[in-house]
């Protein structure tokens, strides 16, 4: 299982200052996303996940310069989320240096838009889902009734050509049983975003069979050691 560092961007900077040595008073803190990404790649990261918070609010990529700065410093895939719902937005992300894109759950209700984005991104496209039943039910679906389950929604999207999903739990602990079912019955790749704050949590997701775990503040703050997380995920 991959351990994927995540950097949340706002105004071209990381929203969380990277200072893993804060407890010992060593190292130099930084909010420069390219420096943060470079350090994690040096430590063994194979993918960097980036969330464009400004883009998510505006509906259009807003931190492309920062993406370009990251791409100029690392030679691993950059997976970008936030404001990418549209073929032109995906093209902008790729032109800036992103190599993967994550679309919001709303694309599940817009087959034409999803098809346009898939035509640009192909296998480098993922859809972000919140798998909690109450969240699925509360989402403002335009269809007559909400999907009966996240499994049904995943099957629907896989049939349309989506083969990678980012499952976000809003900080809640991931449902390991659900993840095991999804990983065991679907050919798609599942990445879990957040909800883990210790090495036992990493091991639980590893044993569930997910492809990767995306960690932001836990890694950036030093609460979870990246090298130890890699060992736990192996």
């Amino acid at each position: 299982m991959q351990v994927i560092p995540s950097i949340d961007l706002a105004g071209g900077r990381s929203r969380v200052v990277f200072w893993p040595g804060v407890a010992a008073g060593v190292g130099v803190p930084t909010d420069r996303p390219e420096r943060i990404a470079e350090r994690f790649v040096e430590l063994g990261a194979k993918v960097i996940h980036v969330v464009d918070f400004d883009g998510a609010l505006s509906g259009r990529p807003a931190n492309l310069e920062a993406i370009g700065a990251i791409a100029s410093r690392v030679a691993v895939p950059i997976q970008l989320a936030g404001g990418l719902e549209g073929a032109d937005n995906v093209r902008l992300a790729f032109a800036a240096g992103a190599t993967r894109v994550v679309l919001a759950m709303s694309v599940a209700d817009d087959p034409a838009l999803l098809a346009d984005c898939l035509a640009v991104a192909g296998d480098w496209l993922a859809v972000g889902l919140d798998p909690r039943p109450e969240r699925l039910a509360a989402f403002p679906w335009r269809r007559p009734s909400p999907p009966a389950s996240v499994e049904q929604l995943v099957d629907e999207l896989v049939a349309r050509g989506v083969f990678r999903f980012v499952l976000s739990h809003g900080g809640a602990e991931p449902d390991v049983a659900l993840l095991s079912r999804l990983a065991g019955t679907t050919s798609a790749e599942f990445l879990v975003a957040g909800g883990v704050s210790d090495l036992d949590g990493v091991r639980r997701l590893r044993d569930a069979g997910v492809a990767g775990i995306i960690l932001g503040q836990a890694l950036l703050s030093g609460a979870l050691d990246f090298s130890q997380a890699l060992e736990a995920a192996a």
Side-chain angles (χ1 to χ4, degrees), residues 1-233:
M1 182 180 75
Q2 289 185 325
V3 179
I4 303 173
S6 178
I7 305 170
D8 297 344
L9 294 179
R13 300 283 184 164
S14 170
R15 297 177 77 227
V16 179
V17 173
F18 177 55
W19 193 9
V22 62
V26 298
V28 178
T30 181
D31 64 356
R32 294 281 295 275
E34 71 276 14
R35 293 180 180 173
I36 297 171
E38 187 175 39
R39 179 56 180 156
F40 279 119
V41 171
E42 289 172 352
L43 292 172
K46 304 300 182 185
V47 180
I48 298 294
H49 182 81
V50 181
V51 180
D52 183 348
F53 266 76
D54 301 319
L57 292 173
S58 66
R60 182 179 177 83
N63 283 284
L64 296 177
E65 186 175 342
I67 297 299
I70 295 171
S72 71
R73 299 284 284 267
V74 302
V76 301
I78 299 169
Q79 180 171 276
L80 178 63
L84 299 175
E85 292 67 50
D88 286 343
N89 291 355
V90 173
R91 292 187 183 97
L92 286 171
F94 285 159
T99 45
R100 299 182 182 180
V101 292
V102 182
L103 306 186
M105 189 160 66
S106 59
V107 300
D109 249 358
D110 196 333
L113 184 148
L114 177 58
D116 287 344
C117 293
L118 280 166
V120 176
D123 291 345
W124 298 112
L125 180 145
V127 173
L129 301 177
D130 189 326
R132 292 173 290 178
E134 68 275 16
R135 294 289 179 164
L136 281 180
F139 191 80
W141 300 102
R142 291 183 292 176
R143 59 183 69 190
S145 59
S149 66
V150 70
E151 291 99 326
Q152 176 187 319
L153 185 57
V154 165
D155 287 344
E156 174 187 318
L157 292 170
V158 168
R160 295 186 194 168
V162 178
F163 293 103
R164 182 179 293 114
F165 296 89
V166 174
L167 304 181
S168 174
H169 299 78
E173 186 173 340
D175 184 337
V176 174
L178 171 62
L179 294 171
S180 295
R181 291 198 304 272
L182 288 171
T185 61
T186 309
S187 59
E189 178 178 280
F190 295 95
L191 307 175
V192 175
V196 170
S197 58
D198 56 30
L199 296 178
D200 285 341
V202 173
R203 296 185 186 101
R204 283 192 292 271
L205 293 184
R206 174 201 66 194
D207 294 343
V210 301
I213 177 172
I214 299 169
L215 296 172
Q217 185 167 352
L219 292 180
L220 293 176
S221 67
L224 194 60
D225 181 79
F226 182 59
S227 297
Q228 291 179 357
L230 287 177
E231 292 178 6

